[in-house]
Amino acid sequence: MNAKNLSERLRLVASFAEQGTVLADIGSDHAYLPCWLFQQGQISRAIAGEVVKGPFESAKRNVAKEGLTDKVVVRLENGLQAIYPDDGVETVTIAGMGGSLIASILENDADRLTGVKRIIVQPNIHAKAIRVWAVSNSWKILNEAILKEDHKIYEVLVLERGDQSYHPEELLMGPLLLRQRSAVFQEKWQGELNEISRVINVLTQSAQSEEAKSKRKQLSDTRDMIERVLKS
């Protein structure tokens, strides 16, 4: 993968960026996504934020290699701190992290989202944490997608401002993904169901502390929810 040849998951993230938007790609790694989007004529300019020195230097080199130093600004900052007040950022992308980490990034510097109209995230796991954050912070789910690439399953969530509530199964599995019920969706949740059942069996056979009982009850409720959805 490089700035001219994105992975499928990043192309899916890119597909949700509005034409002409000002983008901030948080945890940009090599800055492939903002460079590709600019070269496609899809964005007007971008911020590439990276908290780790090595990837930050790599991003700077890639931006320079593509001749985009005046269009893609690379910053060594923690999370949304890469967005400055006068940047005029309208779209934020965060890809390739756990859902809980993405939610914490959005929560920790939520004031940096002033003026942002759209958030596009690609969590590797625990997408529910992002949906819960969205509901609590007046963002709603505009779109969702799921794909399988290199034997791994990824979800992409697109948020816009607005108030919306969701049922527990929608928070866990995605309100739009639930309606679509794609083959990849079915595969993902059958796999999750198998893993949850395995953990429940381990907990059942272990020492019955109050913590273990509570965990088993929580997992059993989640298992029952997933089973209902897959059978419906």
Side-chain angles (χ1 to χ4, degrees):
M1 183 172 67
N2 54 48
K4 291 184 171 62
N5 185 26
L6 288 187
S7 64
E8 277 190 67
R9 69 179 178 87
L10 285 185
R11 281 179 180 265
L12 187 56
V13 170
S15 72
F16 293 112
E18 293 182 290
Q19 185 67 38
T21 194
V22 179
L23 179 84
D25 186 38
I26 305 303
S28 195
D29 201 2
H30 300 284
Y32 291 153
L33 178 62
C35 287
W36 188 87
L37 279 166
F38 186 82
Q39 289 166 340
Q40 298 301 307
Q42 198 166 334
I43 62 174
S44 58
R45 52 192 173 84
I47 309 299
E50 181 53 60
V51 70
V52 179
K53 184 72 170 177
F56 164 73
E57 296 292 350
S58 177
K60 286 206 301 183
R61 286 194 300 271
N62 284 325
V63 169
K65 179 182 176 182
E66 299 299 325
L68 296 175
T69 51
D70 60 333
K71 297 297 183 181
V72 179
V73 178
V74 183
R75 291 178 181 153
L76 184 63
E77 297 281 5
N78 188 12
L80 297 182
Q81 292 175 26
I83 301 174
Y84 296 172
D86 59 351
D87 287 332
V89 169
E90 301 163 313
T91 301
V92 169
T93 53
I94 310 178
M97 305 179 196
S100 297
L101 177 56
I102 291 174
S104 70
I105 288 172
L106 295 171
E107 178 69 23
N108 289 343
D109 293 287
D111 58 304
R112 302 292 179 114
L113 295 173
T114 301
V116 171
K117 302 173 183 176
R118 180 171 292 193
I119 300 172
I120 308 166
V121 294
Q122 178 267 295
N124 291 341
I125 56 173
H126 300 148
K128 177 184 176 181
I130 298 167
R131 297 186 185 104
V132 171
W133 176 87
V135 168
S136 300
N137 290 274
S138 295
W139 291 83
K140 62 183 180 181
I141 299 170
L142 175 67
N143 214 330
E144 292 179 309
I146 190 169
L147 83 158
K148 186 175 183 179
E149 183 178 29
D150 296 332
H151 309 292
K152 295 181 181 179
I153 295 176
Y154 302 100
E155 293 179 40
V156 175
L157 287 70
V158 184
L159 311 178
E160 67 174 11
R161 293 188 183 275
D163 294 314
Q164 182 69 60
S165 61
Y166 301 102
H167 297 299
E169 62 268 25
E170 292 176 321
L171 287 173
L172 178 65
M173 306 171 83
L176 304 182
L177 296 178
L178 269 168
R179 294 177 204 168
Q180 297 159 5
R181 304 284 183 104
S182 70
V184 177
F185 173 88
Q186 299 279 351
E187 179 182 350
K188 171 186 170 65
W189 288 105
Q190 187 60 58
E192 294 283 350
L193 185 60
N194 294 342
E195 176 60 17
I196 289 171
S197 297
R198 185 194 67 79
V199 175
I200 290 173
N201 288 336
V202 171
L203 290 173
T204 301
Q205 296 167 19
S206 65
Q208 296 302 297
S209 66
E210 288 304 313
E211 183 180 359
K213 290 178 181 178
S214 176
K215 181 66 173 177
R216 188 176 64 187
K217 174 65 166 61
Q218 179 185 359
L219 289 172
S220 296
D221 290 345
T222 301
R223 178 195 60 192
D224 293 346
M225 182 191 303
I226 295 171
E227 285 181 337
R228 286 197 303 271
V229 169
L230 293 180
K231 290 177 181 177
S232 64

